[in-house]
Amino acid sequence: MEKKEGGELRLFDSSEELSSGLADFVLQVAESAVKERGSFSLVLSGGDIPNRLGKLTKAPFLRVVDWSKWYVFWAEEKVVAKRHPDSLYWQAKECFISNVPLPPAHVICVSHGVAGESAANSYEFSIRQQLKNRTVQVSPSTDCPRFDLVLLSLGPQGHVASLYPNHSVLHEESQWVSCVSNDSKRESVTLTLPVINAAANVAIVASGMDLARPFMDAMVSRKPIGSHPAQMVSPQDGKLVWFVDAPAASLFLRGNEL
């Protein structure tokens, strides 16, 4: 465990150990939030995050968690049908949500079967309702929601959520949720950086050899602003923790040995 300028770094020998470490961290943050405020707000994203949450559906997590206090949100969602294989809600449902006793009303998902802009607007409205209900706190320094924990996966382009390099959404300051298109022109709904950076805790997962270069760049590169979105994740009044396995950390560790 190391402290870096870009956040705390937790290294694991294998992807399996990373999943266990991430599950422990989620439980720790959840218990603290429930003890402090009576609820826990968890924000999920794509990549391998849904699969890794499968750890929480097994012992000892399943029986020690007070699931009635959990509220689940999304950092991103593809503009597809609810049961589409690319739907992040559906992936999380298959791996996690359907295997734990979460109250259905506590799963705040992005609307499916509607246009991207409509989905973004209605999702932002849903988040604002949760602030009114005090399920989610308001950030002390901005009017953004202060989620207890945002889970992100580092992408091969250095992106997180659906925040891609050099996209105009990286400079969005007023909207909490935006509809974006990536290189394939497929639309996604994503939380914006002000919301992510207002969270109490943000965890970014990097796993596998194909993430070695993006992770190395996130840690040490000083690329032009916007060309590596993960470098723009910097919680204002919160904590950033990287969960990285040995293959993803290989270039970074090799560089530190030189």
Side-chain angles (χ1 to χ4, degrees), residues 122-171:
S122 63
Y123 184 50
E124 180 165 328
F125 177 79
S126 296
I127 294 173
R128 290 185 183 277
Q129 289 301 111
Q130 296 304 316
L131 265 69
K132 286 184 179 179
N133 299 340
R134 300 191 176 179
T135 299
V136 181
Q137 290 180 298
V138 178
S139 167
S141 54
T142 70
D143 69 341
C144 289
R146 182 171 170 82
F147 291 110
D148 293 312
L149 176 57
V150 176
L151 296 181
L152 302 172
S153 183
L154 180 66
Q157 300 177 54
H159 63 280
V160 289
S162 290
L163 302 171
Y164 293 93
N166 303 314
H167 196 288
S168 59
V169 74
L170 297 176
H171 306 289

Side-chain angles (χ1 to χ4, degrees), residues 98-121:
S98 63
N99 299 311
V100 297
L102 264 170
H106 290 196
V107 181
I108 317 299
C109 55
V110 179
S111 298
H112 295 84
V114 299
E117 288 293 343
S118 295
N121 291 336

Side-chain angles (χ1 to χ4, degrees), residues 170-187:
L170 297 176
H171 306 289
E172 176 61 54
E173 294 182 352
S174 58
Q175 288 184 304
W176 293 356
V177 183
S178 287
C179 176
V180 300
S181 297
N182 61 17
D183 293 340
S184 67
K185 304 305 179 186
R186 168 170 277 183
E187 287 186 321

